[in-house]
Amino acid sequence: MKKTKVDARWFRDAIAASGLTQRRLAAILGITPPGLSLSLSGKRKFTGKEVVILSNEFRYPADVVLIKCGHGTPYRAKKAAKLLKTTTAMASAMESLRSSIEALGRG
């Protein structure tokens, strides 16, 4: 299997800036911590759904996250990001739902 070129430094910085742990980020993505480690090392590709969730969590445009995930050139990433726009609405709804659930847990 061909290894994907992931920008590991960018991911470390983005994870730290988001205040998440890798374990919590894996849970949000719906994958195991070892699965996230494989993705961050380029041994497993991030799915489109995961890219949208990462975009939402890190507050970066999906095309930037696609490039950092090793999904090709900026042109190809922008083209792919357009395809992900409908999924972005889903990620936004998930964020809203997660915030509501957290608020209920505090209340």
Side-chain angles (χ1 to χ4, degrees), residues 5-53:
K5 186 170 171 66
V6 174
D7 188 339
R9 177 179 289 160
W10 183 87
F11 270 98
R12 278 194 306 273
D13 292 345
I15 292 168
S18 71
L20 296 171
T21 63
Q22 284 193 18
R23 181 175 299 279
R24 179 70 183 127
L25 181 59
I28 291 168
L29 292 172
I31 60 177
T32 64
L36 178 58
S37 292
L38 288 172
S39 294
L40 294 173
S41 68
K43 296 176 183 171
R44 173 190 175 276
K45 287 188 176 186
F46 285 100
T47 66
K49 175 184 165 189
E50 291 165 357
V51 168
V52 171
I53 294 169

Side-chain angles (χ1 to χ4, degrees), residues 23-99:
R23 181 175 299 279
R24 179 70 183 127
L25 181 59
I28 291 168
L29 292 172
I31 60 177
T32 64
L36 178 58
S37 292
L38 288 172
S39 294
L40 294 173
S41 68
K43 296 176 183 171
R44 173 190 175 276
K45 287 188 176 186
F46 285 100
T47 66
K49 175 184 165 189
E50 291 165 357
V51 168
V52 171
I53 294 169
L54 289 168
S55 173
N56 190 49
E57 291 297 324
F58 296 158
R59 308 277 193 265
Y60 277 93
D63 58 321
V64 171
V65 178
L66 281 165
I67 292 166
K68 301 302 182 180
C69 287
H71 285 288
T73 65
Y75 172 78
R76 287 178 61 199
K78 280 188 182 283
K79 198 171 177 184
K82 286 181 183 178
L83 296 173
L84 291 172
K85 280 195 176 189
T86 56
T87 313
T88 303
M90 182 188 75
S92 178
M94 287 173 46
E95 172 69 21
S96 177
L97 179 61
R98 187 174 63 154
S99 295

